[in-house]
Amino acid sequence: MRLDDLAIDNCLKCSLCNTACPVLTVHTRYPGPKRLGPELERLRREGISTDTEWVEYCLGCHRCDLACPHQVNVSEMIARAKAEHRKPFIRGLRDWWFARPGLLGKLTTILPALSNFALSMKLARFFMSKLMQITPQRKFPSYTRPNLRSQAITNKESQRVVFFPGCFIRYNRPDLGRVVIDLLERNGLVAEVASTECCGVPAMANGAATEARAVARANVKALAQQVDAGLRIVTACSSCGHMLKTGFGGVLEDDKEFANVAQKIASRTYDLAELLMEQSDAGKLNINFKPINLRLAYHAPCHQRSQGIGRPWYHLLRMIPGVAIEDMDAGCCGMSGTYGFKQEKYAVSMGIGKELFASISAAQPQMVATECATCQMQIEHGTTFKAIHPAEILLQAYDERRSG
């Protein structure tokens, strides 16, 4: 019997999942996770049609799962319903592309300069809003030809780890990938860049269950040998980390061979800061930091919270002399990957982020640190402050030239 067959009967309709839902705070007509999840799931399992457009408004933030006192996997039930939902043609076509950032990355990085120029044009964004229902208010991140390489082993005492870069680092910020590799090297770890596909979060978020299973299987095949060799997997993206740690979101549960390996991968996956904090607890963290006079606001992404690892980046940045950091603890930013790019969801996305925007503005930091790329985009879109990955700040503290 599947675990969720048992979990569904644990729902007592206490509505704690609804109180945790960011969408309900700004969209009063939204039925909420209790209704869209376990309540309608009971009907779906009886073969009763319950298709509703409201499943498309689920952020996939997993706050409902964390709030549930009986461990009902509410978000997974909604994700399955989303995969069965019939969309209008235009939205379906748009979401087909949004579900495949790896394919988009490969295409746009053939001629990245031309792609970036085209995507930056207001006229292009206008036509995308009319033809694809992509909001013209958003700006797309710049693309860069992939050039991330594994690190050569120069110290035989260094431990090997596997770096899962994800689509954003691979196609948009390979320089951030090199920052990650540099940080690992400074702490006695040699990174081997994984030859993997997209983690699958965009596919699940856009209702592309078949694509999610395909990339999950590809990633399991790519990582199986390293995991069997005892290597740990490191991610620098909270969504990638969440997906790997949940056994690829349960999409392989019905394939025992792949599911077993996926669980091994889950048990060997670490967020970069989580691994560095483990090094710190063992007395192995390189704390040769240079002072940086910097006032930071920190935002913990939803998919970081869902991993149950606390606030490792917050604690690491506090170790740097001269850094003053404040945890915003102001809820979801509202971006949720491609969600905030969708024309019909733009107002909801920005409404959800208002509390965070206000908290950041009140704190008046020099910059905002958050490990999620789309959280960074949303914060810069909704405030006047620059947002960067915490790894860049940590490396700056090691780098004497930058801090001088």
Side-chain angles (χ1 to χ4, degrees):
M1 180 178 287
R2 289 168 58 99
L3 180 60
D4 56 349
D5 288 334
L6 297 171
I8 191 171
D9 288 329
N10 290 337
C11 176
L12 302 179
K13 298 189 177 183
C14 65
S15 297
L16 282 176
C17 56
N18 283 353
T19 65
C21 178
V23 180
L24 269 175
T25 63
V26 298
H27 205 321
T28 55
R29 292 179 57 212
Y30 182 63
K34 182 181 75 172
R35 175 65 177 168
L36 296 174
E39 284 188 3
L40 291 185
E41 183 71 9
R42 289 184 173 94
L43 299 179
R44 288 190 284 262
R45 295 189 185 191
E46 293 297 325
I48 300 171
S49 177
T50 61
D51 189 25
T52 170
E53 187 180 349
W54 287 118
V55 294
E56 294 295 318
Y57 281 81
C58 171
L59 290 165
C61 64
H62 300 278
R63 287 174 178 265
C64 54
D65 298 333
L66 294 177
C68 180
H70 299 286
Q71 299 182 337
V72 178
N73 50 344
V74 181
S75 62
E76 186 178 326
M77 294 175 189
I78 299 174
R80 285 202 298 268
K82 189 183 290 189
E84 298 297 324
H85 173 60
R86 295 184 179 181
K87 304 176 187 179
F89 175 76
I90 295 298
R91 289 186 189 177
L93 178 61
R94 175 199 64 192
D95 291 357
W96 189 93
W97 283 105
F98 276 169
R100 294 162 173 80
L103 176 60
L104 274 174
K106 289 173 184 176
L107 293 174
T108 52
T109 54
I110 294 172
L111 293 171
L114 180 61
S115 299
N116 293 334
F117 175 73
L119 291 172
S120 68
M121 293 175 63
K122 288 185 178 179
L123 184 62
R125 296 208 300 272
F126 171 78
F127 279 114
M128 282 191 286
S129 71
K130 298 300 180 184
L131 300 176
M132 300 285 284
Q133 295 183 15
I134 297 172
T135 181
Q137 283 93 336
R138 299 285 185 189
K139 293 182 180 179
F140 284 87
S142 297
Y143 285 88
T144 302
R145 187 162 289 149
N147 56 10
L148 199 58
R149 300 287 183 269
S150 295
Q151 190 178 10
I153 300 176
T154 56
N155 185 350
K156 292 183 179 179
E157 295 182 1
S158 297
Q159 295 181 40
R160 289 171 56 214
V161 295
V162 179
F163 175 39
F164 186 99
C167 297
F168 184 78
I169 287 179
R170 193 182 296 278
Y171 298 111
N172 302 100
R173 290 289 311 277
D175 59 312
L176 177 57
R178 288 188 286 274
V179 167
V180 173
I181 291 170
D182 196 344
L183 283 176
L184 290 169
E185 181 185 20
R186 289 170 188 260
N187 287 280
L189 301 162
V190 177
E192 178 181 323
V193 179
S195 300
T196 45
E197 301 290 336
C198 172
C199 68
V201 165
M204 290 190 69
N206 287 284
T210 301
E211 175 68 9
R213 281 190 289 272
V215 295
R217 287 192 178 97
N219 287 327
V220 166
K221 289 179 180 178
L223 295 170
Q225 187 174 353
Q226 289 100 326
V227 169
D228 286 341
L231 272 63
R232 289 176 290 185
I233 301 165
V234 181
T235 68
C237 166
S238 50
S239 293
C240 292
H242 167 85
M243 195 64 168
L244 268 64
K245 286 184 177 185
T246 57
F248 296 98
V251 298
L252 299 175
E253 279 186 356
D254 295 326
D255 190 327
K256 288 187 178 180
E257 182 182 351
F258 279 96
N260 289 338
V261 181
Q263 288 306 314
K264 287 183 183 179
I265 291 170
S267 67
R268 301 293 295 173
T269 298
Y270 291 78
D271 179 85
L272 172 62
E274 179 187 12
L275 184 58
L276 293 178
M277 282 302 297
E278 185 180 276
Q279 293 285 93
S280 176
D281 293 341
K284 297 179 181 179
L285 181 70
N286 177 356
I287 55 173
N288 186 28
F289 299 126
K290 306 296 180 182
I292 305 176
N293 293 319
L294 191 60
R295 188 173 65 258
L296 294 172
Y298 172 70
H299 168 64
C302 294
H303 285 169
Q304 187 269 345
R305 292 169 180 262
S306 69
Q307 295 178 41
I309 58 175
R311 301 282 198 281
W313 276 119
Y314 175 75
H315 294 295
L316 281 170
L317 294 178
R318 289 180 66 192
M319 296 180 186
I320 303 172
V323 168
I325 182 169
E326 182 179 350
D327 186 353
M328 293 293 93
D329 195 21
C332 178
C333 78
M335 187 63 173
S336 188
T338 59
Y339 187 101
F341 281 94
K342 299 176 181 181
Q343 196 159 272
E344 74 278 10
K345 298 180 178 70
Y346 175 75
V348 176
S349 170
M350 294 302 291
I352 292 169
K354 276 186 177 180
E355 183 182 350
L356 176 62
F357 304 154
S359 296
I360 292 170
S361 297
Q364 286 293 301
Q366 290 171 271
M367 62 179 65
V368 182
T370 183
E371 54 267 48
C372 173
T374 55
C375 289
Q376 292 165 25
M377 294 179 204
Q378 177 80 327
I379 289 167
E380 292 187 348
H381 186 65
T383 73
T384 59
F385 299 95
K386 180 176 177 59
I388 69 172
H389 197 290
E392 298 178 84
I393 300 169
L394 194 64
L395 183 61
Q396 182 181 343
Y398 284 128
D399 195 328
E400 193 170 359
R401 291 168 297 173
R402 293 189 187 181
S403 60

